mmCIF file of all heavy atoms in Angstrom:
data_model
loop_
_atom_site.group_PDB
_atom_site.id
_atom_site.type_symbol
_atom_site.label_atom_id
_atom_site.label_comp_id
_atom_site.label_asym_id
_atom_site.label_seq_id
_atom_site.Cartn_x
_atom_site.Cartn_y
_atom_site.Cartn_z
ATOM 1 N N ALA Z 19 -38.599 11.540 22.530
ATOM 2 C CA ALA Z 19 -39.982 11.895 22.705
ATOM 3 C C ALA Z 19 -40.886 10.725 23.017
ATOM 4 O O ALA Z 19 -40.713 9.642 22.436
ATOM 5 C CB ALA Z 19 -40.514 12.597 21.441
ATOM 6 N N ILE Z 20 -41.795 10.930 23.971
ATOM 7 C CA ILE Z 20 -42.828 9.903 24.219
ATOM 8 C C ILE Z 20 -44.130 10.452 23.663
ATOM 9 O O ILE Z 20 -44.497 11.627 23.774
ATOM 10 C CB ILE Z 20 -43.016 9.710 25.775
ATOM 11 C CG1 ILE Z 20 -41.859 8.917 26.325
ATOM 12 C CG2 ILE Z 20 -44.279 9.102 26.087
ATOM 13 C CD1 ILE Z 20 -41.907 8.673 27.804
ATOM 14 N N ILE Z 21 -44.863 9.547 23.029
ATOM 15 C CA ILE Z 21 -46.171 9.883 22.412
ATOM 16 C C ILE Z 21 -47.215 8.875 22.967
ATOM 17 O O ILE Z 21 -47.061 7.668 22.746
ATOM 18 C CB ILE Z 21 -46.144 9.854 20.882
ATOM 19 C CG1 ILE Z 21 -45.123 10.749 20.333
ATOM 20 C CG2 ILE Z 21 -47.540 10.215 20.344
ATOM 21 C CD1 ILE Z 21 -43.787 10.143 20.047
ATOM 22 N N THR Z 22 -48.187 9.369 23.633
ATOM 23 C CA THR Z 22 -49.298 8.500 24.094
ATOM 24 C C THR Z 22 -50.416 8.440 23.130
ATOM 25 O O THR Z 22 -50.612 9.475 22.421
ATOM 26 C CB THR Z 22 -49.767 8.840 25.532
ATOM 27 O OG1 THR Z 22 -50.442 10.110 25.494
ATOM 28 C CG2 THR Z 22 -48.627 8.923 26.493
ATOM 29 N N ALA Z 23 -51.225 7.397 23.127
ATOM 30 C CA ALA Z 23 -52.291 7.194 22.127
ATOM 31 C C ALA Z 23 -51.715 7.507 20.749
ATOM 32 O O ALA Z 23 -52.342 8.173 19.918
ATOM 33 C CB ALA Z 23 -53.477 8.096 22.412
ATOM 34 N N GLY Z 24 -50.509 6.920 20.464
ATOM 35 C CA GLY Z 24 -49.817 7.157 19.229
ATOM 36 C C GLY Z 24 -49.917 6.111 18.130
ATOM 37 O O GLY Z 24 -49.083 6.095 17.250
ATOM 38 N N GLY Z 25 -50.913 5.286 18.212
ATOM 39 C CA GLY Z 25 -50.998 4.202 17.224
ATOM 40 C C GLY Z 25 -51.691 4.622 15.948
ATOM 41 O O GLY Z 25 -51.530 3.972 14.919
ATOM 42 N N SER Z 26 -52.444 5.720 15.917
ATOM 43 C CA SER Z 26 -53.186 6.146 14.774
ATOM 44 C C SER Z 26 -53.466 7.613 14.852
ATOM 45 O O SER Z 26 -53.276 8.214 15.859
ATOM 46 C CB SER Z 26 -54.439 5.298 14.577
ATOM 47 O OG SER Z 26 -55.354 5.489 15.694
ATOM 48 N N GLY Z 27 -54.008 8.158 13.808
ATOM 49 C CA GLY Z 27 -54.515 9.521 13.806
ATOM 50 C C GLY Z 27 -53.437 10.544 14.096
ATOM 51 O O GLY Z 27 -52.264 10.412 13.633
ATOM 52 N N MET Z 28 -53.787 11.585 14.818
ATOM 53 C CA MET Z 28 -52.849 12.703 15.024
ATOM 54 C C MET Z 28 -51.674 12.249 15.924
ATOM 55 O O MET Z 28 -50.541 12.750 15.758
ATOM 56 C CB MET Z 28 -53.563 13.843 15.770
ATOM 57 C CG MET Z 28 -54.562 14.581 14.829
ATOM 58 S SD MET Z 28 -55.456 15.903 15.565
ATOM 59 C CE MET Z 28 -56.757 14.989 16.411
ATOM 60 N N GLY Z 29 -51.905 11.250 16.879
ATOM 61 C CA GLY Z 29 -50.810 10.778 17.653
ATOM 62 C C GLY Z 29 -49.728 10.132 16.838
ATOM 63 O O GLY Z 29 -48.529 10.325 16.996
ATOM 64 N N ALA Z 30 -50.193 9.271 15.904
ATOM 65 C CA ALA Z 30 -49.229 8.586 15.019
ATOM 66 C C ALA Z 30 -48.503 9.582 14.087
ATOM 67 O O ALA Z 30 -47.290 9.456 13.870
ATOM 68 C CB ALA Z 30 -49.970 7.538 14.149
ATOM 69 N N GLU Z 31 -49.166 10.595 13.601
ATOM 70 C CA GLU Z 31 -48.562 11.619 12.747
ATOM 71 C C GLU Z 31 -47.525 12.323 13.541
ATOM 72 O O GLU Z 31 -46.433 12.710 13.029
ATOM 73 C CB GLU Z 31 -49.627 12.491 12.140
ATOM 74 C CG GLU Z 31 -50.331 11.938 11.028
ATOM 75 C CD GLU Z 31 -49.476 11.630 9.847
ATOM 76 O OE1 GLU Z 31 -48.495 12.372 9.521
ATOM 77 O OE2 GLU Z 31 -49.763 10.610 9.122
ATOM 78 N N ALA Z 32 -47.852 12.663 14.819
ATOM 79 C CA ALA Z 32 -46.889 13.343 15.656
ATOM 80 C C ALA Z 32 -45.600 12.506 15.876
ATOM 81 O O ALA Z 32 -44.519 13.060 15.807
ATOM 82 C CB ALA Z 32 -47.493 13.722 17.040
ATOM 83 N N ALA Z 33 -45.800 11.232 16.052
ATOM 84 C CA ALA Z 33 -44.657 10.377 16.239
ATOM 85 C C ALA Z 33 -43.811 10.324 14.978
ATOM 86 O O ALA Z 33 -42.545 10.430 15.070
ATOM 87 C CB ALA Z 33 -45.094 8.915 16.569
ATOM 88 N N LYS Z 34 -44.357 10.226 13.823
ATOM 89 C CA LYS Z 34 -43.671 10.246 12.605
ATOM 90 C C LYS Z 34 -42.911 11.558 12.370
ATOM 91 O O LYS Z 34 -41.725 11.542 11.947
ATOM 92 C CB LYS Z 34 -44.623 10.004 11.400
ATOM 93 C CG LYS Z 34 -45.219 8.609 11.329
ATOM 94 C CD LYS Z 34 -46.309 8.552 10.287
ATOM 95 C CE LYS Z 34 -47.069 7.239 10.276
ATOM 96 N NZ LYS Z 34 -48.126 7.242 9.297
ATOM 97 N N ARG Z 35 -43.534 12.660 12.648
ATOM 98 C CA ARG Z 35 -42.936 13.981 12.499
ATOM 99 C C ARG Z 35 -41.749 14.162 13.411
ATOM 100 O O ARG Z 35 -40.663 14.649 13.013
ATOM 101 C CB ARG Z 35 -43.948 15.087 12.644
ATOM 102 C CG ARG Z 35 -43.367 16.513 12.588
ATOM 103 C CD ARG Z 35 -42.643 16.769 11.216
ATOM 104 N NE ARG Z 35 -41.999 18.033 11.238
ATOM 105 C CZ ARG Z 35 -42.459 19.124 10.635
ATOM 106 N NH1 ARG Z 35 -43.622 19.076 9.981
ATOM 107 N NH2 ARG Z 35 -41.761 20.238 10.684
ATOM 108 N N LEU Z 36 -41.942 13.794 14.624
ATOM 109 C CA LEU Z 36 -40.836 13.966 15.645
ATOM 110 C C LEU Z 36 -39.646 12.991 15.260
ATOM 111 O O LEU Z 36 -38.468 13.383 15.411
ATOM 112 C CB LEU Z 36 -41.334 13.677 17.039
ATOM 113 C CG LEU Z 36 -42.248 14.746 17.580
ATOM 114 C CD1 LEU Z 36 -42.931 14.264 18.860
ATOM 115 C CD2 LEU Z 36 -41.513 16.053 17.827
ATOM 116 N N ALA Z 37 -39.970 11.794 14.807
ATOM 117 C CA ALA Z 37 -38.889 10.926 14.355
ATOM 118 C C ALA Z 37 -38.162 11.569 13.171
ATOM 119 O O ALA Z 37 -36.906 11.538 13.091
ATOM 120 C CB ALA Z 37 -39.427 9.519 13.935
ATOM 121 N N ALA Z 38 -38.884 12.211 12.246
ATOM 122 C CA ALA Z 38 -38.240 12.870 11.154
ATOM 123 C C ALA Z 38 -37.406 14.056 11.556
ATOM 124 O O ALA Z 38 -36.424 14.439 10.959
ATOM 125 C CB ALA Z 38 -39.346 13.342 10.134
ATOM 126 N N ASP Z 39 -37.813 14.639 12.677
ATOM 127 C CA ASP Z 39 -37.055 15.783 13.305
ATOM 128 C C ASP Z 39 -35.791 15.341 13.991
ATOM 129 O O ASP Z 39 -35.048 16.150 14.509
ATOM 130 C CB ASP Z 39 -37.916 16.569 14.250
ATOM 131 C CG ASP Z 39 -39.064 17.316 13.565
ATOM 132 O OD1 ASP Z 39 -38.986 17.508 12.319
ATOM 133 O OD2 ASP Z 39 -39.976 17.741 14.253
ATOM 134 N N GLY Z 40 -35.670 13.998 14.091
ATOM 135 C CA GLY Z 40 -34.406 13.483 14.786
ATOM 136 C C GLY Z 40 -34.618 12.939 16.192
ATOM 137 O O GLY Z 40 -33.665 12.583 16.856
ATOM 138 N N PHE Z 41 -35.895 12.946 16.620
ATOM 139 C CA PHE Z 41 -36.154 12.377 17.967
ATOM 140 C C PHE Z 41 -36.170 10.863 17.919
ATOM 141 O O PHE Z 41 -36.636 10.231 16.974
ATOM 142 C CB PHE Z 41 -37.552 12.866 18.456
ATOM 143 C CG PHE Z 41 -37.496 14.262 18.949
ATOM 144 C CD1 PHE Z 41 -37.774 15.317 18.076
ATOM 145 C CD2 PHE Z 41 -37.369 14.569 20.305
ATOM 146 C CE1 PHE Z 41 -37.775 16.636 18.547
ATOM 147 C CE2 PHE Z 41 -37.392 15.881 20.757
ATOM 148 C CZ PHE Z 41 -37.606 16.896 19.881
ATOM 149 N N LYS Z 42 -35.663 10.239 18.982
ATOM 150 C CA LYS Z 42 -35.967 8.835 19.265
ATOM 151 C C LYS Z 42 -37.423 8.846 19.821
ATOM 152 O O LYS Z 42 -37.645 9.681 20.679
ATOM 153 C CB LYS Z 42 -34.950 8.232 20.266
ATOM 154 C CG LYS Z 42 -33.483 8.352 19.806
ATOM 155 C CD LYS Z 42 -33.287 7.511 18.532
ATOM 156 C CE LYS Z 42 -31.793 7.530 18.170
ATOM 157 N NZ LYS Z 42 -31.620 6.755 16.873
ATOM 158 N N VAL Z 43 -38.173 7.870 19.457
ATOM 159 C CA VAL Z 43 -39.577 7.904 19.868
ATOM 160 C C VAL Z 43 -39.997 6.699 20.646
ATOM 161 O O VAL Z 43 -39.567 5.542 20.309
ATOM 162 C CB VAL Z 43 -40.577 8.102 18.695
ATOM 163 C CG1 VAL Z 43 -40.332 9.469 18.061
ATOM 164 C CG2 VAL Z 43 -40.384 7.017 17.661
ATOM 165 N N ALA Z 44 -40.791 6.875 21.654
ATOM 166 C CA ALA Z 44 -41.395 5.805 22.425
ATOM 167 C C ALA Z 44 -42.888 6.032 22.365
ATOM 168 O O ALA Z 44 -43.389 7.111 22.633
ATOM 169 C CB ALA Z 44 -40.913 5.812 23.848
ATOM 170 N N ILE Z 45 -43.656 4.995 21.971
ATOM 171 C CA ILE Z 45 -45.107 5.163 21.668
ATOM 172 C C ILE Z 45 -45.946 4.173 22.465
ATOM 173 O O ILE Z 45 -45.633 3.001 22.584
ATOM 174 C CB ILE Z 45 -45.343 4.893 20.166
ATOM 175 C CG1 ILE Z 45 -44.503 5.815 19.310
ATOM 176 C CG2 ILE Z 45 -46.789 5.066 19.848
ATOM 177 C CD1 ILE Z 45 -44.536 5.496 17.797
ATOM 178 N N LEU Z 46 -46.984 4.750 23.108
ATOM 179 C CA LEU Z 46 -47.967 3.972 23.765
ATOM 180 C C LEU Z 46 -49.284 3.928 22.998
ATOM 181 O O LEU Z 46 -49.720 4.990 22.496
ATOM 182 C CB LEU Z 46 -48.287 4.548 25.144
ATOM 183 C CG LEU Z 46 -49.369 3.850 25.992
ATOM 184 C CD1 LEU Z 46 -48.832 2.587 26.600
ATOM 185 C CD2 LEU Z 46 -49.888 4.723 27.078
ATOM 186 N N SER Z 47 -49.846 2.759 22.788
ATOM 187 C CA SER Z 47 -51.204 2.683 22.175
ATOM 188 C C SER Z 47 -51.844 1.366 22.656
ATOM 189 O O SER Z 47 -51.201 0.434 23.058
ATOM 190 C CB SER Z 47 -51.149 2.665 20.652
ATOM 191 O OG SER Z 47 -50.787 1.388 20.133
ATOM 192 N N SER Z 48 -53.196 1.439 22.652
ATOM 193 C CA SER Z 48 -53.923 0.254 23.170
ATOM 194 C C SER Z 48 -54.155 -0.820 22.148
ATOM 195 O O SER Z 48 -54.493 -1.958 22.445
ATOM 196 C CB SER Z 48 -55.238 0.746 23.793
ATOM 197 O OG SER Z 48 -56.006 1.389 22.781
ATOM 198 N N SER Z 49 -53.924 -0.432 20.902
ATOM 199 C CA SER Z 49 -54.296 -1.329 19.742
ATOM 200 C C SER Z 49 -53.091 -2.278 19.341
ATOM 201 O O SER Z 49 -53.351 -3.216 18.623
ATOM 202 C CB SER Z 49 -54.676 -0.510 18.551
ATOM 203 O OG SER Z 49 -53.613 0.274 18.056
ATOM 204 N N GLY Z 50 -51.901 -1.873 19.726
ATOM 205 C CA GLY Z 50 -50.750 -2.633 19.220
ATOM 206 C C GLY Z 50 -50.122 -1.920 18.009
ATOM 207 O O GLY Z 50 -49.010 -2.229 17.612
ATOM 208 N N LYS Z 51 -50.901 -1.008 17.403
ATOM 209 C CA LYS Z 51 -50.349 -0.256 16.261
ATOM 210 C C LYS Z 51 -49.192 0.592 16.665
ATOM 211 O O LYS Z 51 -48.271 0.848 15.815
ATOM 212 C CB LYS Z 51 -51.453 0.616 15.623
ATOM 213 C CG LYS Z 51 -52.585 -0.167 14.986
ATOM 214 C CD LYS Z 51 -53.651 0.767 14.413
ATOM 215 C CE LYS Z 51 -54.778 -0.005 13.791
ATOM 216 N NZ LYS Z 51 -55.822 0.922 13.277
ATOM 217 N N GLY Z 52 -49.149 1.073 17.875
ATOM 218 C CA GLY Z 52 -48.067 1.906 18.340
ATOM 219 C C GLY Z 52 -46.745 1.145 18.355
ATOM 220 O O GLY Z 52 -45.715 1.694 18.030
ATOM 221 N N GLU Z 53 -46.833 -0.106 18.804
ATOM 222 C CA GLU Z 53 -45.634 -0.902 18.817
ATOM 223 C C GLU Z 53 -45.074 -1.091 17.439
ATOM 224 O O GLU Z 53 -43.881 -1.017 17.145
ATOM 225 C CB GLU Z 53 -45.907 -2.242 19.495
ATOM 226 C CG GLU Z 53 -45.903 -2.209 20.966
ATOM 227 C CD GLU Z 53 -45.705 -3.638 21.579
ATOM 228 O OE1 GLU Z 53 -44.657 -4.259 21.269
ATOM 229 O OE2 GLU Z 53 -46.572 -4.068 22.372
ATOM 230 N N ALA Z 54 -45.974 -1.309 16.473
ATOM 231 C CA ALA Z 54 -45.542 -1.613 15.092
ATOM 232 C C ALA Z 54 -45.009 -0.314 14.494
ATOM 233 O O ALA Z 54 -43.892 -0.352 13.838
ATOM 234 C CB ALA Z 54 -46.764 -2.018 14.228
ATOM 235 N N LEU Z 55 -45.582 0.820 14.796
ATOM 236 C CA LEU Z 55 -45.051 2.125 14.260
ATOM 237 C C LEU Z 55 -43.666 2.456 14.889
ATOM 238 O O LEU Z 55 -42.803 2.892 14.215
ATOM 239 C CB LEU Z 55 -46.054 3.239 14.582
ATOM 240 C CG LEU Z 55 -45.628 4.619 14.142
ATOM 241 C CD1 LEU Z 55 -45.335 4.688 12.635
ATOM 242 C CD2 LEU Z 55 -46.690 5.666 14.543
ATOM 243 N N ALA Z 56 -43.619 2.187 16.240
ATOM 244 C CA ALA Z 56 -42.301 2.446 16.842
ATOM 245 C C ALA Z 56 -41.172 1.583 16.259
ATOM 246 O O ALA Z 56 -40.085 2.061 16.046
ATOM 247 C CB ALA Z 56 -42.410 2.122 18.395
ATOM 248 N N THR Z 57 -41.459 0.360 15.955
ATOM 249 C CA THR Z 57 -40.477 -0.487 15.280
ATOM 250 C C THR Z 57 -40.038 0.062 13.954
ATOM 251 O O THR Z 57 -38.878 0.090 13.616
ATOM 252 C CB THR Z 57 -41.066 -1.924 15.088
ATOM 253 O OG1 THR Z 57 -41.351 -2.473 16.379
ATOM 254 C CG2 THR Z 57 -40.004 -2.840 14.420
ATOM 255 N N GLU Z 58 -41.033 0.523 13.204
ATOM 256 C CA GLU Z 58 -40.800 1.125 11.882
ATOM 257 C C GLU Z 58 -39.903 2.343 12.028
ATOM 258 O O GLU Z 58 -39.088 2.636 11.112
ATOM 259 C CB GLU Z 58 -42.147 1.496 11.219
ATOM 260 C CG GLU Z 58 -42.064 2.155 9.878
ATOM 261 C CD GLU Z 58 -43.422 2.614 9.462
ATOM 262 O OE1 GLU Z 58 -44.418 1.909 9.704
ATOM 263 O OE2 GLU Z 58 -43.566 3.695 8.823
ATOM 264 N N LEU Z 59 -40.115 3.091 13.096
ATOM 265 C CA LEU Z 59 -39.370 4.353 13.300
ATOM 266 C C LEU Z 59 -38.094 4.162 14.091
ATOM 267 O O LEU Z 59 -37.360 5.182 14.399
ATOM 268 C CB LEU Z 59 -40.252 5.391 13.982
ATOM 269 C CG LEU Z 59 -41.601 5.792 13.252
ATOM 270 C CD1 LEU Z 59 -42.437 6.666 14.129
ATOM 271 C CD2 LEU Z 59 -41.239 6.504 11.944
ATOM 272 N N GLY Z 60 -37.773 2.950 14.416
ATOM 273 C CA GLY Z 60 -36.518 2.678 15.198
ATOM 274 C C GLY Z 60 -36.658 3.044 16.623
ATOM 275 O O GLY Z 60 -35.615 3.288 17.303
ATOM 276 N N GLY Z 61 -37.838 3.006 17.190
ATOM 277 C CA GLY Z 61 -38.045 3.376 18.602
ATOM 278 C C GLY Z 61 -38.522 2.165 19.381
ATOM 279 O O GLY Z 61 -38.299 1.040 19.052
ATOM 280 N N ILE Z 62 -39.218 2.499 20.474
ATOM 281 C CA ILE Z 62 -39.831 1.402 21.292
ATOM 282 C C ILE Z 62 -41.330 1.698 21.480
ATOM 283 O O ILE Z 62 -41.740 2.851 21.488
ATOM 284 C CB ILE Z 62 -39.169 1.360 22.681
ATOM 285 C CG1 ILE Z 62 -39.222 2.672 23.404
ATOM 286 C CG2 ILE Z 62 -37.699 0.907 22.537
ATOM 287 C CD1 ILE Z 62 -38.626 2.596 24.856
ATOM 288 N N GLY Z 63 -42.012 0.649 21.587
ATOM 289 C CA GLY Z 63 -43.507 0.734 21.743
ATOM 290 C C GLY Z 63 -44.043 -0.110 22.837
ATOM 291 O O GLY Z 63 -43.433 -1.163 23.178
#
């Protein structure tokens, strides 16, 4: 799954939920928070 604007708020929650569902996640965000979250979830940011 790819999640755009996924560094915070609903985008970040969607990334976490999809990762919990078994998806590999790739996250785009402008703040850098998406990269940190992707690392935490074992994905790419």
Side-chain angles (χ1 to χ4, degrees):
I20 285 179
I21 303 94
T22 66
S26 61
M28 290 179 280
E31 283 297 324
K34 293 174 187 176
R35 175 58 188 256
L36 290 169
D39 290 345
F41 284 86
K42 302 296 183 181
V43 294
I45 303 173
L46 177 78
S47 79
S48 59
S49 65
K51 293 179 182 178
E53 280 200 58
L55 178 59
T57 299
E58 177 186 325
L59 298 174
I62 57 175

